[in-house]
């Protein structure tokens, strides 16, 4: 194929390494600041180390990639022979990553389309996969962007957290702050809405909240073809059990991914996170 459109995303897409390699997707890492150390997500800090730091209440913050890192990534891709780049990133409501990519794109030697997907985690990952599959089929930059945007429009993400404290401290909960006063008495369910993390329901116990998360995800999936991702942080048994139940309850299930979130999302949700992403095919 004489023309080639490359796909770039960021480390919060949490795509499996083999999937990224197979589809030629490049991920630009965000940074986790642990005490006085700045560590790249995916290579320099493990989720286990993050969970331990959070449990010990050590200061943990996150940082976007700088425009220079995006510029270097775009330059390297252009030199490899690509004719264009689609750069897909987590919600601009939650991070400045999209803005940094926009700055770098202005100086790129080939066309770069930067897209705020409004998504996070595998909700973003499914968008990157849709764009990559379109590019592999010979699609243009515009066609790959359209595929990603269509996938985003058909994707929903729901979350259970043991406490809203981490989201509150990171300033990532928006309207969900209304729940915080009663957070000790309830187990919150959240959803991704308009690129922001918003309250969905308040449930009295963890077991009931997880059961309700399963019910919401199964109802959202319906019987049409869907891909599903189950995320967790330091809760592998809960995630595996939830995935097994969804496998039985979702008749149109195509692909099911189960994975631990990385350090950036984990820093804002805390250990015990369970998330379900439902993405229409």
């Amino acid at each position: 194929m004489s023309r080639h459109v490359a796909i770039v995303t960021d480390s919060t897409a949490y795509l499996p390494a083999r999937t990224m390699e197979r589809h030629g997707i490049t991920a630009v890492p965000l940074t986790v600041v642990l005490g006085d150390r700045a560590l790249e997500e995916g290579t320099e800090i493990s989720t286990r180390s993050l969970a331990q730091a959070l449990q010990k209440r050590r200061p943990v913050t996150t940082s976007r990639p700088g425009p220079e890192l995006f510029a270097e990534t775009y330059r390297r891709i252009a030199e490899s022979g690509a004719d264009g780049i689609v750069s897909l990133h987590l919600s601009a409501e939650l991070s400045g990553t999209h803005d940094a990519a926009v700055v770098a794109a202005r100086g790129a030697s080939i066309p770069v389309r930067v897209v705020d997907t409004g998504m996070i985690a595998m909700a973003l990952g499914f968008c990157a996969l849709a764009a990559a599959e379109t590019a592999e089929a010979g699609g243009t930059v515009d066609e790959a962007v359209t595929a990603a945007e269509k996938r985003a429009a058909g994707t929903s993400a729901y979350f259970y957290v043991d406490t809203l404290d981490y989201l509150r401290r990171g300033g990532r909960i928006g309207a969900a702050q209304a729940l915080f006063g009663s957070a000790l008495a309830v187990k919150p369910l959240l959803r991704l809405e308009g690129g922001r993390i918003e309250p969905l329901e308040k449930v009295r116990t963890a077991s009931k909240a997880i059961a309700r998360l399963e019910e919401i995800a199964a109802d959202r999936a319906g019987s049409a073809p869907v891909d599903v991702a189950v995320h967790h942080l330091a809760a592998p048994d809960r995630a595996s059990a939830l995935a097994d139940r969804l496998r039985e309850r979702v008749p149109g299930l195509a692909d099911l991914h189960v994975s631990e979130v990385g350090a950036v999302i984990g820093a804002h949700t805390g250990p015990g996170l369970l998330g379900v992403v439902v993405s229409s095919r």
Side-chain angles (χ1 to χ4, degrees), residues 54-76:
L54 291 173
Q55 288 163 346
K56 294 176 181 177
R57 301 190 69 84
R58 294 179 60 190
V60 180
T61 58
T62 59
S63 177
R64 72 176 189 180
E68 63 280 357
L69 183 55
F70 277 108
E72 170 60 22
T73 300
Y74 298 155
R75 181 193 63 76
R76 187 172 66 250

Side-chain angles (χ1 to χ4, degrees), residues 71 74 99-112 114:
Y74 298 155
D99 293 341
V102 168
V103 171
R106 294 176 185 143
S109 61
I110 58 176
V112 180
V114 181

Side-chain angles (χ1 to χ4, degrees), residues 28-96:
V28 176
L30 276 73
T31 299
V32 176
V33 182
L34 188 60
D36 59 356
R37 299 177 62 203
L39 305 168
E40 282 191 358
E41 181 175 43
T43 58
E44 296 179 340
I45 181 171
S46 68
T47 51
R48 181 178 180 182
S49 297
L50 170 79
Q52 290 173 343
L54 291 173
Q55 288 163 346
K56 294 176 181 177
R57 301 190 69 84
R58 294 179 60 190
V60 180
T61 58
T62 59
S63 177
R64 72 176 189 180
E68 63 280 357
L69 183 55
F70 277 108
E72 170 60 22
T73 300
Y74 298 155
R75 181 193 63 76
R76 187 172 66 250
I77 290 172
E79 289 178 351
S80 74
D83 298 288
I85 297 170
V86 176
S87 200
L88 302 152
H89 300 292
L90 79 161
S91 172
E93 293 282 348
L94 302 174
S95 169

